[in-house]
Amino acid sequence: MTQTNETERRSATTSQAGMRPRATETLLDAAEPPAFEIVNAAGSGTAVLFCDHASNRIPRRLGSLGLDPAALQTHIAWDPGAAELARQLSARLDAPLVLSGYSRLVIDCNRPPDSPESIPPHSAGVAIPGNQVCDDQQRALRLHVLHVWIVIELVGGLQGRCGEAVENAQRYKSKNDHSDW
């Protein structure tokens, strides 16, 4: 996990325009936390928990997405309290937990990747300017770096514990069929 993230970060360069990274560049700079955190990876419980709206953090390269800092503290950016509740459940169930490290406004890991709602131009009636100008390269970069299906692939070592869930996610990825969402 860390090695992959560090490899990606080492390859970062700035775009010619200096505004947004190209798809071949990284979204996160070296000083930022990774895209996700695994808590209690060795837990012996039968569940594996995911908290995809755990953070309101925005990658520095995206600025504030054009939002006032106060807006990033509200429910449009994350589910306040969800990370702490998930940590408590992880401890109580002795279950591994994957926490998303970045705001659902950057990419909502609770949406199919090709859904317009995965990078929402508006949330709860609030315009998200940085998402309204998100092009295909930026969408691909956000998906690659932050989407939960990448997390599932990275934590494939948990497959013995949650084989059916991981197999379903892999089937989803390979078919890219969202008819049941």
Side-chain angles (χ1 to χ4, degrees):
M1 172 177 63
T2 303
Q3 183 178 9
T4 301
N5 198 8
E6 291 305 315
T7 300
E8 178 187 338
R9 287 178 178 172
R10 281 195 300 272
S11 68
T13 58
T14 57
S15 66
Q16 291 176 346
M19 297 295 288
R20 289 184 285 169
R22 295 182 305 255
T24 57
E25 297 172 357
T26 186
L27 183 61
L28 305 177
D29 70 38
E32 290 183 284
F36 59 92
E37 175 186 357
I38 299 177
V39 177
N40 194 17
S44 63
T46 58
V48 176
L49 306 174
F50 294 91
C51 187
D52 50 5
H53 296 164
S55 176
N56 62 345
R57 185 180 298 113
I58 308 289
R60 287 185 193 116
R61 293 174 192 250
L62 298 180
S64 66
L65 294 175
L67 294 169
D68 180 276
L72 295 175
Q73 299 302 314
T74 69
H75 186 262
I76 67 167
W78 65 323
D79 288 337
E84 183 54 36
L85 176 61
R87 287 178 191 280
Q88 291 172 12
L89 285 171
S90 172
R92 185 158 191 178
L93 299 172
D94 193 24
L97 164 65
V98 178
L99 293 164
S100 175
Y102 290 85
S103 173
R104 65 170 148 218
L105 296 178
V106 178
I107 188 161
D108 191 337
C109 296
N110 194 32
R111 304 278 182 248
D114 62 350
S115 167
E117 294 177 358
S118 69
I119 299 178
H122 296 87
S123 182
V126 176
I128 315 299
N131 288 352
Q132 293 174 352
V133 297
C134 184
D135 61 22
D136 289 343
Q137 287 182 332
Q138 184 62 228
R139 178 176 283 279
L141 183 61
R142 293 182 192 190
L143 175 65
H144 172 73
V145 175
L146 301 175
H147 201 274
V148 73
W149 302 117
I150 302 302
V151 172
I152 289 173
E153 188 169 291
L154 292 172
V155 297
L158 295 174
Q159 189 162 4
R161 314 180 68 176
C162 57
E164 185 177 331
V166 172
E167 287 172 18
N168 286 341
Q170 289 171 338
R171 217 175 359 264
Y172 163 82
K173 279 181 59 184
S174 65
K175 291 182 181 178
N176 204 20
D177 176 9
H178 311 299
S179 60
D180 59 338
W181 284 73

